[in-house]
Amino acid sequence: MNGHAGEAAAVNGHARVGAPVIRTAKEARAAFRAGETGPTAGWAAGFTQANLISVPADWAYEMLLFCQRNPKPCPVLDVTDAGSYVTPLAPGADLRTDLPRYRVWEHGELAGEPTDVVDRWRDDLVSFLIGCSFTFEWALADAGVPLRHIEQGRNVPMYVTARPCRPAGRLHGPMVVSMRPVPPRSLADAIRESALMPSVHGSPVHCGEPSGLGIEDLGRPDFGDPVAAEPDDIPVFWACGVTPRAAVMASRPPFAITHAPGRMFLTDARDEQYRVA
Amino acid sequence: MNGHAGEAAAVNGHARVGAPVIRTAKEARAAFRAGETGPTAGWAAGFTQANLISVPADWAYEMLLFCQRNPKPCPVLDVTDAGSYVTPLAPGADLRTDLPRYRVWEHGELAGEPTDVVDRWRDDLVSFLIGCSFTFEWALADAGVPLRHIEQGRNVPMYVTARPCRPAGRLHGPMVVSMRPVPPRSLADAIRESALMPSVHGSPVHCGEPSGLGIEDLGRPDFGDPVAAEPDDIPVFWACGVTPRAAVMASRPPFAITHAPGRMFLTDARDEQYRVA
């Protein structure tokens, strides 16, 4: 853990000279609340980061059912009561202010990217905290699986697949995946290590030929950055927490709030807690 | 698997002389639909059995949220659309007729124990299929962990604990656990094997001293039968799928249907599917 924590911080450029060292999720949240807006990769390593999606109570059952029916892309870590912006995963945190940046959605269209959502909050919002692949990446790194996108200082590439999620009422949309090129010697380790963390996407949904997921060009991801692979690398695809946001874009609820890409919510939970064995 | 299947069938007394051999879940469901009312332990071994709980749509969000907030006792395998009695876990099955026996609940009180619920069905019922410890028992048996209750031909003992579940709206109640006495040499195997199946209760919630869960007398379970332990055995407690039924009894929704004790729903899913690695 500690080795990976240092490595991730350095690779992601957050070991800022002269800046206070951020060690805990609580310190990170305070920095974001105070105005820091950068991506959260590498911050407070070892603490579990989560995707945020807040929808009106009228849509909450369908969102929770959508997540239950699609547990690999949408592993639910917590759901708040309507109107509440607190979670037992991070006592003292305020979901309206403690992320670096948000996205506000109206009828599936982007309607703003504020650094807090105090003014946009509604008493009927139910917030979902969804697991994030950052959590299993440390386990891959600890098992010696190279993480090409981190080596190259890029965001992980993500792709909208041709595989539809199982719908839930009005909510529907495609499964989104993240891709990591894995060398043949590490494939079994990558699968096993992620399989042991089913609450944060679990094992891959596909290994190899991208066309099996309807992906035409690995060089043109829908989100994130393209990543260079070594000649023998196998593209490995994990279900991605961007999926519920894609469902919001496709299904157009009247209102929703999400984190801005790469600007996750840092919980006080530890990544190890999501490992089953 | 096959060895265990035969063993379980024999131990549970379902290797009936002259009776047709039930090999698949589909065959078992047909037998139950035709009037067989006995307990399902040992039937169609290898196929996943599930707890059934059906509540009015008005209570469905709270039930689903209750399950999300208490995933060890309430692992959700599937949720139907309102009024629907079909599930992709068992194509062709009818949830109203294909269990051996049901319980009907009105305001938290038992209001009947019919062998089908066609006449009691409502268009607003949402059915939850919840994971069952039968699924991890085969993994324990395959790992050489003795299952005392099966050796003794009894139902597993279950206890209402003093540990409250995290409530969800109107739904609240205590966690219910099942207990298996495990010899010291097998404790690690029992924990590891069940931990690898987080969708069917996962690792134990408590090992050892029953008072830690508020259980006063292991000889007097709240459900199931008492089981005799060997002198060095450690009592091991797993969260139990009876928990949502206990929440119905405590929270008193106007109407609910569950399976009768020990009369589970047999899905076409295979127990191995719920093993993460």
Side-chain angles (χ1 to χ4, degrees), chain B residues 79-240:
Chain B
V79 182
T80 67
D81 290 319
S84 169
Y85 36 82
V86 301
T87 168
L89 291 180
D94 184 328
L95 291 171
R96 305 169 305 171
T97 59
D98 289 6
L99 284 76
R101 192 177 283 282
Y102 299 79
R103 284 191 164 177
V104 177
W105 304 85
E106 293 175 356
H107 301 284
E109 304 288 341
L110 186 60
E113 207 166 11
T115 57
D116 74 65
V117 288
V118 171
D119 292 343
R120 305 302 307 267
W121 201 255
R122 295 166 34 157
D123 285 346
D124 68 341
L125 286 183
V126 176
S127 295
F128 292 76
L129 296 174
I130 307 284
C132 165
S133 62
F134 290 171
T135 302
F136 71 72
E137 284 189 346
W138 70 261
L140 268 55
D142 278 356
V145 179
L147 295 169
R148 306 288 190 217
H149 64 288
I150 292 182
E151 291 169 358
Q152 296 164 27
R154 300 181 185 173
N155 287 326
V156 73
M158 291 164 272
Y159 306 86
V160 175
T161 71
R163 196 179 289 184
C165 288
R166 188 174 159 204
R170 295 166 289 180
L171 267 182
H172 58 89
M175 183 169 66
V176 180
V177 294
S178 61
M179 188 281 291
R180 291 164 189 79
V182 176
R185 69 174 185 282
S186 293
L187 184 61
D189 292 337
I191 292 173
R192 184 195 65 245
E193 290 300 314
S194 55
L196 291 174
M197 307 188 88
S199 299
V200 286
H201 305 306
S203 57
V205 293
H206 189 79
C207 304
E209 184 48 59
S211 63
L213 291 171
I215 298 169
E216 292 183 4
D217 184 355
L218 287 182
R220 295 172 58 193
D222 295 290
F223 311 103
D225 304 317
V227 64
E230 298 292 314
D232 288 341
D233 282 356
I234 297 155
V236 180
F237 300 88
W238 278 268
C240 176

Side-chain angles (χ1 to χ4, degrees), chain B residues 57-80:
Chain B
D58 172 43
W59 285 72
Y61 178 64
E62 285 150 301
M63 180 59 74
L64 188 53
L65 190 60
F66 186 83
C67 293
Q68 193 282 324
R69 289 179 173 176
N70 301 283
K72 294 196 93 159
C74 313
V76 180
L77 305 185
D78 193 39
V79 182
T80 67

Side-chain angles (χ1 to χ4, degrees), chain A:
Chain A
M1 274 305 300
N2 289 332
H4 173 66
E7 178 182 271
V11 166
N12 286 283
H14 291 292
R16 294 161 299 162
V17 177
V21 176
I22 301 290
R23 295 197 181 280
T24 69
K26 188 175 180 180
E27 290 168 350
R29 293 193 300 268
F32 301 140
R33 199 181 316 137
E36 177 74 47
T37 62
T40 53
W43 281 70
F47 289 91
T48 301
Q49 301 199 18
N51 298 276
L52 171 72
I53 186 156
S54 307
V55 295
D58 173 43
W59 285 71
Y61 178 63
E62 284 150 301
M63 180 58 76
L64 188 53
L65 190 59
F66 185 85
C67 293
Q68 192 282 324
R69 290 180 172 174
N70 301 282
K72 293 195 92 158
C74 313
V76 180
L77 305 186
D78 193 39
V79 182
T80 67
D81 290 319
S84 170
Y85 36 82
V86 301
T87 169
L89 291 179
D94 185 329
L95 291 172
R96 306 169 305 171
T97 58
D98 289 3
L99 284 75
R101 190 176 287 281
Y102 298 79
R103 283 190 166 179
V104 177
W105 303 84
E106 293 175 356
H107 300 284
E109 304 287 340
L110 187 61
E113 207 166 11
T115 57
D116 74 66
V117 288
V118 172
D119 292 342
R120 304 303 306 268
W121 200 254
R122 295 166 33 156
D123 285 344
D124 68 342
L125 286 182
V126 175
S127 295
F128 292 75
L129 297 173
I130 307 282
C132 165
S133 61
F134 290 171
T135 301
F136 71 73
E137 284 188 344
W138 72 260
L140 268 56
D142 279 355
V145 179
L147 295 169
R148 306 290 190 215
H149 64 287
I150 292 181
E151 290 168 359
Q152 296 164 29
R154 298 180 187 174
N155 287 327
V156 73
M158 290 163 274
Y159 305 86
V160 176
T161 71
R163 194 179 291 186
C165 287
R166 189 175 158 204
R170 294 166 290 181
L171 265 183
H172 58 88
M175 185 171 63
V176 180
V177 294
S178 61
M179 189 281 290
R180 293 163 189 79
V182 176
R185 71 173 184 281
S186 293
L187 184 60
D189 291 337
I191 292 174
R192 185 195 63 246
E193 290 299 316
S194 55
L196 291 175
M197 306 187 90
S199 300
V200 286
H201 305 308
S203 56
V205 293
H206 188 81
C207 304
E209 182 50 59
S211 62
L213 292 170
I215 298 169
E216 293 183 2
D217 184 354
L218 286 182
R220 295 173 56 195
D222 295 290
F223 311 102
D225 303 318
V227 63
E230 298 293 313
D232 288 339
D233 281 356
I234 298 154
V236 180
F237 301 88
W238 279 267
C240 176
V242 170
T243 301
R245 192 169 67 205
V248 163
M249 293 165 69
S251 312
R252 302 177 170 271
F255 188 74
I257 291 172
T258 67
H259 66 283
R263 276 75 175 172
M264 320 299 286
F265 178 64
L266 273 89
T267 76
D268 289 348
R270 297 295 196 140
D271 289 334
E272 293 91 333
Q273 291 174 231
Y274 294 105
R275 191 179 173 95
V276 298

